[in-house]
Amino acid sequence: MAVVTGSILDLTAQSMANREVEIIFQLNAPNTYSVGSSAGRIIPTEPAVIEPASDGSFSVNLAVTDSMVNVGWYNIQVRWLSAEHGSGLIDFPEWRLQVPSAGGNLGDLVTGPDGTAGGSNGRIVWVSQTAPENPRKFMLWLEQEPGATPDPYDPKNTGLLKEWQ
């Protein structure tokens, strides 16, 4: 098992605590492990349902997917109550959550529906004089001081655009 962390807020970056939010993680198909002490253990698709903390943060223990016999990932659903609609609503993001043994932050572990790292937005640009700590494949890095008016005389502002392969 590995711990995946993250947070959920509404469109205005406010807590959704009064809306009884649930986040559902469900394995894409039954699977089994091919190596280690868990080899041969069957992992069913029973969902893990969690409720985030009042500030929107959450953590969940999930089965590691990188040592499964078949390529495995978690589908994610988000359910909440809507006073405006008088009912519950559900989002079905088209992400694949792949969980390594070290776990990690949801934003670093999701891929797009076709398994592309970084989701469908493969052209995210990191603007900084230092490289990103956890770059995704095909992520871009503009080696420059962020902001509207970078110092043109600073030698660290190379203006080079780099791409991770």
Side-chain angles (χ1 to χ4, degrees), residues 10-159:
D10 71 9
L11 290 172
T12 62
Q14 301 299 309
S15 170
M16 296 177 70
N18 62 340
R19 292 176 238 174
E20 300 181 32
V21 174
E22 291 180 328
I23 304 171
I24 301 106
F25 300 86
Q26 187 169 19
L27 199 58
N28 65 308
N31 218 321
T32 186
Y33 287 113
S34 58
V35 296
S37 60
S38 295
R41 180 175 68 113
I42 295 173
I43 305 111
T45 61
E46 180 180 1
V49 180
I50 60 152
E51 295 179 13
S54 61
D55 66 355
S57 63
F58 65 84
S59 66
V60 59
N61 287 314
L62 296 172
V64 174
T65 59
D66 61 3
S67 57
M68 291 180 172
V69 170
N70 297 316
V71 176
W73 67 84
Y74 289 90
N75 294 307
I76 303 171
Q77 297 176 24
V78 181
R79 291 191 296 218
W80 70 97
L81 293 178
S82 170
E84 178 183 340
H85 294 96
S87 63
L89 300 174
I90 301 176
D91 277 337
F92 298 93
E94 292 186 351
W95 302 325
R96 291 182 178 188
L97 172 62
Q98 294 178 310
V99 182
S101 59
N105 184 280
L106 180 87
D108 297 328
L109 304 177
V110 294
T111 63
D114 61 353
T116 304
S120 60
N121 183 3
R123 304 317 289 177
I124 296 172
V125 180
W126 175 266
V127 180
S128 176
Q129 291 179 332
T130 57
E133 290 183 23
N134 297 311
R136 295 179 177 179
K137 193 172 184 179
F138 304 118
M139 183 176 176
L140 300 171
W141 169 34
L142 177 60
E143 192 173 6
Q144 182 168 303
E145 178 182 3
T149 57
D151 180 357
Y153 301 106
D154 185 340
K156 293 181 188 174
N157 288 334
T158 66

